[in-house]
Amino acid sequence: MTLTATQRSTLPGRHLWQAPEFTLAVIAVAGFAALAVATGGNLLSAGTLGAFFRFLAVPIVIGLSQMVVLAVGQMNLSVGALTGFCAMAAAWLMLEAGLPAPLAVLAALLLGLFAGVTNGVLVVLTRINGFIVTLATMTIIQGLRYGVNGPDTFQGYSPGLREFGRASILGLPAVFLVALAVAALVALFFSRTVPGRHLLASGGSPFAARLSGISNDRSLIVAHGLSGLLAGVAAVLTVAASGSVNATIGDDLLLPSFAAPIIGGVALTGGMVSVTGTLLAAFLVRLVDVMQAQFGINPRWVDLIIGAVVLGAVLLGTVRTKLQERSD
């Protein structure tokens, strides 16, 4: 049986504080409070707090993009490159092709969806693990991304889109609220829809899913397609929030894309998702980024810390799985 993290936390005899998400929430609150004190309250100023949540939007969506592929026991190494490519394409369509912002945004979303479905189809046709397939497509997409406009920067596109990227609603950045809405839709997809449950079943036990009449191939294509669509959403948020894009966009998103779901409790073997855990882990990774900026820490040390935490989360997840199998 495959469950979402929310369903696991409500099992009989299991208390809320025993869930990994509760631990992450406590760490997130404690870490935020500690950083606020360490910065002399600067973190709590309106400008800093707004920037914190504005630039948290993309890590949330990119983490969800990786999570949906992990749900079927796959990986998508192309999420960062695809996000950058869709962002560059959207900016090019507005500046060079003269398309209005809504059409450019729609094109970016469709481009991400098409690339994701292509990844899924290649995995199904070749029977090669998504890790290898998306490693290859990542390289191709990186070349295409650079080919859109070379090393030059796109800026000065749609004032309305850039204004949306700076806008706030009830004190919270609009792009952050969009990311939360996307997270809610992803949670509903896995908990309330048949395709979402099929993805979890295929990831938890492909053999049992096949005996139940579920097409594992379809699940793979749907998962990769949804991952690509979410990368397109992340691209749109990037274009709106940053105000300019270039060929390096997306290069730094691969590690955060894995960090958020894995630290959030998503298993590499598939069959389980945790939208809440992914959100909280993305928040923690963003805290580390702010700490690096505030105290001038070498970014390589930050990568080391995040990588070590991801490795620790994987090892703990493996131990937890083995203990559960023994108890069953």
Side-chain angles (χ1 to χ4, degrees):
M1 180 173 65
T2 53
L3 301 170
T4 65
T6 301
Q7 291 168 330
R8 289 201 326 274
S9 65
T10 56
L11 287 174
R14 180 157 189 176
H15 300 289
L16 176 63
W17 58 83
Q18 293 177 309
E21 292 80 5
F22 181 82
T23 302
L24 280 174
V26 172
I27 295 174
V29 172
F32 186 84
L35 190 57
V37 172
T39 58
N42 181 55
L43 182 61
L44 301 178
S45 65
T48 304
L49 205 57
F52 178 90
F53 285 107
R54 181 172 296 107
F55 292 103
L56 175 60
V58 171
I60 286 175
V61 177
I62 207 69
L64 294 172
S65 177
Q66 194 68 251
M67 185 195 75
V68 297
V69 209
L70 290 173
V72 292
Q74 296 266 313
M75 297 182 186
N76 185 359
L77 299 185
S78 67
V79 289
L82 182 56
T83 298
F85 179 51
C86 291
M88 289 286 286
W92 183 88
L93 288 171
M94 286 184 283
L95 286 174
E96 303 296 332
L99 287 184
L103 289 181
V105 166
L106 178 60
L109 297 178
L110 292 177
L111 182 60
L113 176 62
F114 174 77
V117 169
T118 300
N119 281 336
V121 170
L122 288 174
V123 169
V124 169
L125 292 180
T126 63
R127 298 300 172 186
I128 299 174
N129 189 275
F131 180 91
I132 302 299
V133 170
T134 58
L135 176 62
T137 57
M138 175 187 72
T139 306
I140 295 171
I141 292 171
Q142 285 175 336
L144 292 173
R145 181 185 60 182
Y146 186 83
V148 173
N149 199 43
D152 296 334
T153 298
F154 282 123
Q155 54 188 354
Y157 44 79
S158 172
L161 186 59
R162 286 182 287 127
E163 183 62 31
F164 173 77
R166 296 189 297 266
S168 296
I169 301 175
L170 300 177
L172 290 173
V175 290
F176 174 69
L177 295 177
V178 169
L180 292 184
V182 170
L185 290 174
V186 172
L188 287 174
F189 172 77
F190 280 108
S191 63
R192 302 295 181 185
T193 71
V194 172
R197 293 179 182 274
H198 284 182
L199 258 64
L200 292 175
S202 294
S205 176
F207 179 71
R210 186 167 60 252
L211 291 180
S212 301
I214 297 172
S215 171
N216 292 319
D217 290 347
R218 184 184 300 114
S219 293
L220 288 173
I221 294 174
V222 169
H224 279 281
L226 182 55
S227 177
L229 178 61
L230 289 171
V233 174
V236 172
L237 296 181
T238 298
V239 171
S242 64
S244 65
V245 293
N246 56 43
T248 65
I249 291 291
D251 286 345
D252 58 346
L253 292 178
L254 184 57
L255 178 58
S257 78
F258 281 103
I262 292 175
I263 295 174
V266 177
L268 287 174
T269 52
M272 188 273 293
V273 294
S274 176
V275 173
T276 302
T278 299
L279 290 174
L280 290 170
F283 181 89
L284 287 172
V285 173
R286 178 72 183 127
L287 275 182
V288 174
D289 289 337
V290 172
M291 181 178 66
Q292 181 269 325
Q294 287 285 338
F295 301 107
I297 302 173
N298 190 316
R300 297 302 179 188
W301 284 107
V302 174
D303 291 342
L304 174 63
I305 294 171
I306 295 176
V309 173
V310 170
L311 179 60
V314 171
L315 293 176
L316 286 175
T318 301
V319 172
R320 189 186 300 116
T321 300
K322 290 182 178 180
L323 291 176
Q324 288 176 347
E325 289 176 352
R326 289 179 181 178
S327 64
D328 292 341

